[in-house]
Amino acid sequence: MPIQKNLSQRGYYWLSSLLILTLCLGLSQTAEARRKHHRRHHHRYSGPPPTHPVVLWARTLSESTDPEQRKIAAYKLAQYSQPIYQTTVVNVLIHCMGDPDLKIKVLCTKAMGHAGTQGMAENVREVLLQKYQADPILRSTIVRAFILRGDSSSTVQDTFLESAKQTQTPEELVTLLDYFQIYGSDSDKFVSALVQVYQNNENPKVKRAVVKALGDRSHGQDAVIALLSQCADNKDTPLALTCLSGLQLQAKKDARAWSAVEKTIQSEDPDVLMATLEVINSLPETVNPKISKRLLEIIDQIDDSELQEKAVLALGICGDRSDVAMETLVKLLKDKSTDESTQIAAALALGKQSGGSPEKTRSELEQCTTSAISQQLRMACQIGMKEFEARQGMTAQLSPIPPPAKPITVPAATGPAIVPAPTVTYAPAPTAATSAPIPAEKKTMVAAPSPPSTGPAFVAPPSPPQTERAVPGPDSDPREPNQDRKINSVADVPDRGISSVKAESEETPAATSGKAIVPDDSETDRELSNKDED
C-alpha cells in the first residue's frame, strides 16, 4: 500500500509539472508576439526622409567632387526613361550642359530629352536652341533630344533647316534628316531646302536620308517627283531602292513615274526589279508596250516565283493587250507546275488582257472557275471573269454607231394639184338657250396651208347646198314634222354647229397635209357680211 501511494503521488507531480511548463511556454510565446506586433505598428523612422532616385542622382551630380561618381549619376539620369518633372533636377541638368567634362556634358544633354513638364516645354526648348547655336559639339545630341521630346514646332524646324543648308558634316546632316523623317513638314520651303541638300552633297548616306525624308513627308511636289525620278536610275542600289520606294508613295498619279520605271525595269538586279514591280503595281492602269515586252521576258526567263508573281500582276496593269500577253497568261494558268500564287495572278490579269481573242479568254476563265484545284484559284478566276465581262460591256458601249440608211426619195408630181372643196357639217336645230348671237371672232375660218405644187392649182366647183334632217328641240312645235330644210345663211346654223365646224377645221397636220381650203364667193358669205354690218 505505501508503495502504490508513492507511485500515485509521483504521477500527480509529473502531470502537474507538465501542465505548468506548457502554460509557461504558451504565455511566453504570446508575450513575444505582442512585442513583435508592437514594434511593427509603432515603429517610427528616425533617419533622413525618403528621396526620389533622380533627386539623389542630381544631388550627387551637383555636390560631389568625385568625377567617377558624377559620371555615374549623369549616366543614370541619361538612361532614365520616365519624365523628369522635378524642377531642381531640371535646373541641375541645364547647369550640367556646360560642364567642363565632355562626357558629363553629353550625358546631361541627352537626359534633357525627358526633362520638364508640359508647362516647362517652352523654357526647355529655348534653352536647348540657345545651346544648339552656341556649342557645335552638342548639336547632334540636342537634335536627338528634340526627337525624344517630340517637339515639331516651327521654330525648331526653321532652325534645323537653316543648319542643314549650311553644314557640310555628314554625321550632323544625317542626324538632322532623321529628325525630318519623323517631324518634317510638307511645305515648299521644306522641300526646296532638302533638294538643295541633296544637290550639294555626294555622300550616299546623306542622299539616302534626304530621299527617305522627302518620300515620307512631302505630298507630291514637282521638285520631289523630278528628284525621285532622276535618282531611281542611280548605280547605287540602296539609293535606287530608296528612290523607287519614294516614287511608290509620291508619284501614284504622275506620268513621270512611268519614265523612271521604263529605265529601272531593264535592270538585272533582282532587288531593283522587285522594287520596280512594286512601283508599277501601285500606279494606275496604263498601256505601255515597252514595259509589257520586258515583263514578258521576265516571266519567261526568271524562275523566282515571287518575282514572277509580281511581274504577272504588273502585266495586268501596263500590258499592251496583245495576243502574246494573252497566250502567256493562259499558259501560266493551265500549267500545273506553276506556283499557285502565280496562277492566281495570271487569272486576275487575264481578265484585263483579253487581247484580240475574247472568246478564248472567256472559255479559259469559265473552265478555270469549274475545274481549278483550289478554292483560291477558282475565286481568282471568278474575279477575272467579272473583270472581263465588265470590260467587254464597256467596249460594246463605246463602239461606233452605224450610219442610218438612206431615205427613199419619191419624185414630186408635176401635174396640177387637185384641191377638194371644203365640207361643212351642221348640227341639229337651235334652241332658245343656244340661239345667242355668234361673236365675230368665232365666224373666222382659218385655212390650212397648202403644200407647194409645180403646176397651177385646180379649184373644184362649189358643192350645192346641203340639207340635214332637223331634230326637234324643246321649244320646237311638235306638230311640225321632221322635214328637210334648206340652210341659206350662217344665222340658221346653231352656235354648237359653229363649234363643230371649228373642231373639224382644227385637224392634225397629218390629216390636213396636202389639202387646201378655198372659200367660195357664194350667197352665204355675202349674207354673213351683211349681218355683221347690222
PDB file of all heavy atoms in Angstrom, residues 47-71:
ATOM      1  N   GLY A  47      15.640  58.386 -39.434  1.00  0.00           N
ATOM      2  CA  GLY A  47      16.698  58.863 -40.310  1.00  0.00           C
ATOM      3  C   GLY A  47      16.212  59.966 -41.239  1.00  0.00           C
ATOM      4  O   GLY A  47      15.152  60.578 -41.034  1.00  0.00           O
ATOM      5  N   PRO A  48      16.962  60.256 -42.348  1.00  0.00           N
ATOM      6  CA  PRO A  48      16.560  61.293 -43.312  1.00  0.00           C
ATOM      7  C   PRO A  48      15.315  60.846 -44.099  1.00  0.00           C
ATOM      8  O   PRO A  48      15.046  59.650 -44.233  1.00  0.00           O
ATOM      9  CB  PRO A  48      17.774  61.407 -44.229  1.00  0.00           C
ATOM     10  CG  PRO A  48      18.491  60.116 -44.083  1.00  0.00           C
ATOM     11  CD  PRO A  48      18.250  59.648 -42.689  1.00  0.00           C
ATOM     12  N   PRO A  49      14.520  61.782 -44.601  1.00  0.00           N
ATOM     13  CA  PRO A  49      13.301  61.400 -45.320  1.00  0.00           C
ATOM     14  C   PRO A  49      13.634  60.674 -46.620  1.00  0.00           C
ATOM     15  O   PRO A  49      14.679  60.928 -47.238  1.00  0.00           O
ATOM     16  CB  PRO A  49      12.618  62.742 -45.586  1.00  0.00           C
ATOM     17  CG  PRO A  49      13.720  63.731 -45.545  1.00  0.00           C
ATOM     18  CD  PRO A  49      14.720  63.229 -44.539  1.00  0.00           C
ATOM     19  N   PRO A  50      12.741  59.759 -47.087  1.00  0.00           N
ATOM     20  CA  PRO A  50      12.999  59.050 -48.349  1.00  0.00           C
ATOM     21  C   PRO A  50      12.981  60.031 -49.517  1.00  0.00           C
ATOM     22  O   PRO A  50      12.161  60.955 -49.568  1.00  0.00           O
ATOM     23  CB  PRO A  50      11.854  58.037 -48.431  1.00  0.00           C
ATOM     24  CG  PRO A  50      10.791  58.587 -47.569  1.00  0.00           C
ATOM     25  CD  PRO A  50      11.479  59.350 -46.456  1.00  0.00           C
ATOM     26  N   THR A  51      13.848  59.822 -50.508  1.00  0.00           N
ATOM     27  CA  THR A  51      14.042  60.741 -51.623  1.00  0.00           C
ATOM     28  C   THR A  51      13.949  59.966 -52.926  1.00  0.00           C
ATOM     29  O   THR A  51      14.374  58.808 -53.014  1.00  0.00           O
ATOM     30  CB  THR A  51      15.403  61.439 -51.512  1.00  0.00           C
ATOM     31  OG1 THR A  51      15.527  61.997 -50.205  1.00  0.00           O
ATOM     32  CG2 THR A  51      15.532  62.549 -52.547  1.00  0.00           C
ATOM     33  N   HIS A  52      13.396  60.633 -54.013  1.00  0.00           N
ATOM     34  CA  HIS A  52      13.314  60.034 -55.342  1.00  0.00           C
ATOM     35  C   HIS A  52      14.724  59.814 -55.883  1.00  0.00           C
ATOM     36  O   HIS A  52      15.635  60.628 -55.640  1.00  0.00           O
ATOM     37  CB  HIS A  52      12.525  60.954 -56.279  1.00  0.00           C
ATOM     38  CG  HIS A  52      12.014  60.267 -57.492  1.00  0.00           C
ATOM     39  ND1 HIS A  52      12.821  59.988 -58.576  1.00  0.00           N
ATOM     40  CD2 HIS A  52      10.777  59.798 -57.803  1.00  0.00           C
ATOM     41  CE1 HIS A  52      12.105  59.376 -59.508  1.00  0.00           C
ATOM     42  NE2 HIS A  52      10.856  59.258 -59.069  1.00  0.00           N
ATOM     43  N   PRO A  53      14.942  58.710 -56.619  1.00  0.00           N
ATOM     44  CA  PRO A  53      16.308  58.442 -57.106  1.00  0.00           C
ATOM     45  C   PRO A  53      16.899  59.562 -57.940  1.00  0.00           C
ATOM     46  O   PRO A  53      18.092  59.867 -57.832  1.00  0.00           O
ATOM     47  CB  PRO A  53      16.137  57.166 -57.930  1.00  0.00           C
ATOM     48  CG  PRO A  53      14.899  56.540 -57.452  1.00  0.00           C
ATOM     49  CD  PRO A  53      14.036  57.615 -56.930  1.00  0.00           C
ATOM     50  N   VAL A  54      16.064  60.190 -58.825  1.00  0.00           N
ATOM     51  CA  VAL A  54      16.622  61.245 -59.680  1.00  0.00           C
ATOM     52  C   VAL A  54      17.085  62.432 -58.840  1.00  0.00           C
ATOM     53  O   VAL A  54      18.041  63.137 -59.205  1.00  0.00           O
ATOM     54  CB  VAL A  54      15.585  61.684 -60.741  1.00  0.00           C
ATOM     55  CG1 VAL A  54      15.261  60.562 -61.689  1.00  0.00           C
ATOM     56  CG2 VAL A  54      14.316  62.208 -60.099  1.00  0.00           C
ATOM     57  N   VAL A  55      16.431  62.662 -57.718  1.00  0.00           N
ATOM     58  CA  VAL A  55      16.863  63.742 -56.835  1.00  0.00           C
ATOM     59  C   VAL A  55      18.232  63.418 -56.229  1.00  0.00           C
ATOM     60  O   VAL A  55      19.119  64.290 -56.125  1.00  0.00           O
ATOM     61  CB  VAL A  55      15.806  63.984 -55.747  1.00  0.00           C
ATOM     62  CG1 VAL A  55      16.265  65.078 -54.780  1.00  0.00           C
ATOM     63  CG2 VAL A  55      14.473  64.376 -56.372  1.00  0.00           C
ATOM     64  N   LEU A  56      18.415  62.168 -55.833  1.00  0.00           N
ATOM     65  CA  LEU A  56      19.706  61.752 -55.292  1.00  0.00           C
ATOM     66  C   LEU A  56      20.799  61.838 -56.345  1.00  0.00           C
ATOM     67  O   LEU A  56      21.919  62.295 -56.064  1.00  0.00           O
ATOM     68  CB  LEU A  56      19.603  60.329 -54.748  1.00  0.00           C
ATOM     69  CG  LEU A  56      18.663  60.125 -53.552  1.00  0.00           C
ATOM     70  CD1 LEU A  56      18.591  58.657 -53.180  1.00  0.00           C
ATOM     71  CD2 LEU A  56      19.106  60.957 -52.368  1.00  0.00           C
ATOM     72  N   TRP A  57      20.490  61.425 -57.605  1.00  0.00           N
ATOM     73  CA  TRP A  57      21.490  61.494 -58.665  1.00  0.00           C
ATOM     74  C   TRP A  57      21.840  62.953 -58.984  1.00  0.00           C
ATOM     75  O   TRP A  57      23.003  63.284 -59.214  1.00  0.00           O
ATOM     76  CB  TRP A  57      20.979  60.795 -59.911  1.00  0.00           C
ATOM     77  CG  TRP A  57      20.689  59.338 -59.708  1.00  0.00           C
ATOM     78  CD1 TRP A  57      21.279  58.513 -58.794  1.00  0.00           C
ATOM     79  CD2 TRP A  57      19.736  58.554 -60.426  1.00  0.00           C
ATOM     80  NE1 TRP A  57      20.763  57.255 -58.879  1.00  0.00           N
ATOM     81  CE2 TRP A  57      19.803  57.236 -59.876  1.00  0.00           C
ATOM     82  CE3 TRP A  57      18.831  58.790 -61.437  1.00  0.00           C
ATOM     83  CZ2 TRP A  57      19.010  56.185 -60.337  1.00  0.00           C
ATOM     84  CZ3 TRP A  57      18.044  57.761 -61.912  1.00  0.00           C
ATOM     85  CH2 TRP A  57      18.127  56.475 -61.362  1.00  0.00           C
ATOM     86  N   ALA A  58      20.815  63.804 -59.012  1.00  0.00           N
ATOM     87  CA  ALA A  58      21.081  65.217 -59.267  1.00  0.00           C
ATOM     88  C   ALA A  58      21.890  65.835 -58.131  1.00  0.00           C
ATOM     89  O   ALA A  58      22.784  66.685 -58.383  1.00  0.00           O
ATOM     90  CB  ALA A  58      19.760  65.960 -59.437  1.00  0.00           C
ATOM     91  N   ARG A  59      21.636  65.415 -56.884  1.00  0.00           N
ATOM     92  CA  ARG A  59      22.408  65.927 -55.754  1.00  0.00           C
ATOM     93  C   ARG A  59      23.860  65.474 -55.854  1.00  0.00           C
ATOM     94  O   ARG A  59      24.797  66.258 -55.583  1.00  0.00           O
ATOM     95  CB  ARG A  59      21.774  65.437 -54.455  1.00  0.00           C
ATOM     96  CG  ARG A  59      22.336  66.073 -53.195  1.00  0.00           C
ATOM     97  CD  ARG A  59      21.602  65.523 -51.992  1.00  0.00           C
ATOM     98  NE  ARG A  59      20.185  65.833 -52.087  1.00  0.00           N
ATOM     99  CZ  ARG A  59      19.271  65.268 -51.291  1.00  0.00           C
ATOM    100  NH1 ARG A  59      19.632  64.343 -50.405  1.00  0.00           N
ATOM    101  NH2 ARG A  59      18.005  65.602 -51.402  1.00  0.00           N
ATOM    102  N   THR A  60      24.037  64.220 -56.256  1.00  0.00           N
ATOM    103  CA  THR A  60      25.409  63.731 -56.428  1.00  0.00           C
ATOM    104  C   THR A  60      26.108  64.493 -57.551  1.00  0.00           C
ATOM    105  O   THR A  60      27.298  64.834 -57.453  1.00  0.00           O
ATOM    106  CB  THR A  60      25.396  62.235 -56.729  1.00  0.00           C
ATOM    107  OG1 THR A  60      24.737  61.545 -55.682  1.00  0.00           O
ATOM    108  CG2 THR A  60      26.807  61.694 -56.887  1.00  0.00           C
ATOM    109  N   LEU A  61      25.376  64.768 -58.605  1.00  0.00           N
ATOM    110  CA  LEU A  61      25.973  65.438 -59.769  1.00  0.00           C
ATOM    111  C   LEU A  61      26.375  66.871 -59.446  1.00  0.00           C
ATOM    112  O   LEU A  61      27.393  67.375 -59.964  1.00  0.00           O
ATOM    113  CB  LEU A  61      24.970  65.429 -60.932  1.00  0.00           C
ATOM    114  CG  LEU A  61      25.457  65.905 -62.299  1.00  0.00           C
ATOM    115  CD1 LEU A  61      26.587  65.034 -62.792  1.00  0.00           C
ATOM    116  CD2 LEU A  61      24.300  65.897 -63.287  1.00  0.00           C
ATOM    117  N   SER A  62      25.624  67.515 -58.589  1.00  0.00           N
ATOM    118  CA  SER A  62      25.892  68.925 -58.297  1.00  0.00           C
ATOM    119  C   SER A  62      26.814  69.128 -57.089  1.00  0.00           C
ATOM    120  O   SER A  62      27.498  70.161 -57.024  1.00  0.00           O
ATOM    121  CB  SER A  62      24.573  69.668 -58.050  1.00  0.00           C
ATOM    122  OG  SER A  62      23.898  69.095 -56.940  1.00  0.00           O
ATOM    123  N   GLU A  63      26.855  68.203 -56.132  1.00  0.00           N
ATOM    124  CA  GLU A  63      27.612  68.400 -54.894  1.00  0.00           C
ATOM    125  C   GLU A  63      28.871  67.561 -54.812  1.00  0.00           C
ATOM    126  O   GLU A  63      29.822  67.933 -54.119  1.00  0.00           O
ATOM    127  CB  GLU A  63      26.715  68.081 -53.689  1.00  0.00           C
ATOM    128  CG  GLU A  63      25.505  68.992 -53.590  1.00  0.00           C
ATOM    129  CD  GLU A  63      24.601  68.600 -52.432  1.00  0.00           C
ATOM    130  OE1 GLU A  63      24.932  67.598 -51.740  1.00  0.00           O
ATOM    131  OE2 GLU A  63      23.583  69.286 -52.205  1.00  0.00           O
ATOM    132  N   SER A  64      28.930  66.431 -55.479  1.00  0.00           N
ATOM    133  CA  SER A  64      30.087  65.549 -55.353  1.00  0.00           C
ATOM    134  C   SER A  64      31.294  66.121 -56.096  1.00  0.00           C
ATOM    135  O   SER A  64      31.161  66.813 -57.114  1.00  0.00           O
ATOM    136  CB  SER A  64      29.756  64.154 -55.886  1.00  0.00           C
ATOM    137  OG  SER A  64      30.881  63.316 -55.811  1.00  0.00           O
ATOM    138  N   THR A  65      32.468  65.799 -55.557  1.00  0.00           N
ATOM    139  CA  THR A  65      33.723  66.197 -56.206  1.00  0.00           C
ATOM    140  C   THR A  65      34.440  65.022 -56.845  1.00  0.00           C
ATOM    141  O   THR A  65      35.497  65.219 -57.473  1.00  0.00           O
ATOM    142  CB  THR A  65      34.651  66.833 -55.158  1.00  0.00           C
ATOM    143  OG1 THR A  65      34.864  65.909 -54.078  1.00  0.00           O
ATOM    144  CG2 THR A  65      34.047  68.129 -54.617  1.00  0.00           C
ATOM    145  N   ASP A  66      33.852  63.849 -56.721  1.00  0.00           N
ATOM    146  CA  ASP A  66      34.446  62.657 -57.325  1.00  0.00           C
ATOM    147  C   ASP A  66      34.006  62.580 -58.789  1.00  0.00           C
ATOM    148  O   ASP A  66      32.801  62.460 -59.082  1.00  0.00           O
ATOM    149  CB  ASP A  66      34.007  61.416 -56.554  1.00  0.00           C
ATOM    150  CG  ASP A  66      34.735  60.156 -57.021  1.00  0.00           C
ATOM    151  OD1 ASP A  66      35.534  60.252 -57.985  1.00  0.00           O
ATOM    152  OD2 ASP A  66      34.512  59.079 -56.452  1.00  0.00           O
ATOM    153  N   PRO A  67      34.902  62.623 -59.760  1.00  0.00           N
ATOM    154  CA  PRO A  67      34.497  62.582 -61.179  1.00  0.00           C
ATOM    155  C   PRO A  67      33.773  61.295 -61.566  1.00  0.00           C
ATOM    156  O   PRO A  67      32.804  61.343 -62.342  1.00  0.00           O
ATOM    157  CB  PRO A  67      35.829  62.721 -61.928  1.00  0.00           C
ATOM    158  CG  PRO A  67      36.757  63.339 -60.958  1.00  0.00           C
ATOM    159  CD  PRO A  67      36.352  62.841 -59.605  1.00  0.00           C
ATOM    160  N   GLU A  68      34.205  60.194 -60.995  1.00  0.00           N
ATOM    161  CA  GLU A  68      33.559  58.937 -61.343  1.00  0.00           C
ATOM    162  C   GLU A  68      32.130  58.882 -60.825  1.00  0.00           C
ATOM    163  O   GLU A  68      31.211  58.423 -61.520  1.00  0.00           O
ATOM    164  CB  GLU A  68      34.373  57.762 -60.782  1.00  0.00           C
ATOM    165  CG  GLU A  68      35.734  57.599 -61.430  1.00  0.00           C
ATOM    166  CD  GLU A  68      35.620  57.327 -62.919  1.00  0.00           C
ATOM    167  OE1 GLU A  68      34.630  56.669 -63.338  1.00  0.00           O
ATOM    168  OE2 GLU A  68      36.508  57.775 -63.677  1.00  0.00           O
ATOM    169  N   GLN A  69      31.917  59.357 -59.593  1.00  0.00           N
ATOM    170  CA  GLN A  69      30.565  59.380 -59.047  1.00  0.00           C
ATOM    171  C   GLN A  69      29.664  60.315 -59.856  1.00  0.00           C
ATOM    172  O   GLN A  69      28.493  60.018 -60.103  1.00  0.00           O
ATOM    173  CB  GLN A  69      30.611  59.827 -57.577  1.00  0.00           C
ATOM    174  CG  GLN A  69      31.285  58.832 -56.635  1.00  0.00           C
ATOM    175  CD  GLN A  69      30.495  57.540 -56.527  1.00  0.00           C
ATOM    176  OE1 GLN A  69      29.269  57.519 -56.643  1.00  0.00           O
ATOM    177  NE2 GLN A  69      31.226  56.429 -56.297  1.00  0.00           N
ATOM    178  N   ARG A  70      30.206  61.425 -60.302  1.00  0.00           N
ATOM    179  CA  ARG A  70      29.427  62.362 -61.108  1.00  0.00           C
ATOM    180  C   ARG A  70      29.091  61.755 -62.475  1.00  0.00           C
ATOM    181  O   ARG A  70      27.982  61.944 -62.994  1.00  0.00           O
ATOM    182  CB  ARG A  70      30.194  63.669 -61.281  1.00  0.00           C
ATOM    183  CG  ARG A  70      30.410  64.396 -59.955  1.00  0.00           C
ATOM    184  CD  ARG A  70      31.144  65.713 -60.153  1.00  0.00           C
ATOM    185  NE  ARG A  70      30.282  66.689 -60.783  1.00  0.00           N
ATOM    186  CZ  ARG A  70      30.507  67.231 -61.979  1.00  0.00           C
ATOM    187  NH1 ARG A  70      31.575  66.864 -62.683  1.00  0.00           N
ATOM    188  NH2 ARG A  70      29.665  68.133 -62.481  1.00  0.00           N
ATOM    189  N   LYS A  71      30.016  61.027 -63.075  1.00  0.00           N
ATOM    190  CA  LYS A  71      29.728  60.378 -64.358  1.00  0.00           C
ATOM    191  C   LYS A  71      28.655  59.309 -64.196  1.00  0.00           C
ATOM    192  O   LYS A  71      27.764  59.180 -65.056  1.00  0.00           O
ATOM    193  CB  LYS A  71      31.001  59.757 -64.927  1.00  0.00           C
ATOM    194  CG  LYS A  71      31.999  60.765 -65.458  1.00  0.00           C
ATOM    195  CD  LYS A  71      33.234  60.062 -66.007  1.00  0.00           C
ATOM    196  CE  LYS A  71      34.260  61.073 -66.506  1.00  0.00           C
ATOM    197  NZ  LYS A  71      35.486  60.416 -67.033  1.00  0.00           N
TER     198      LYS A  71
END
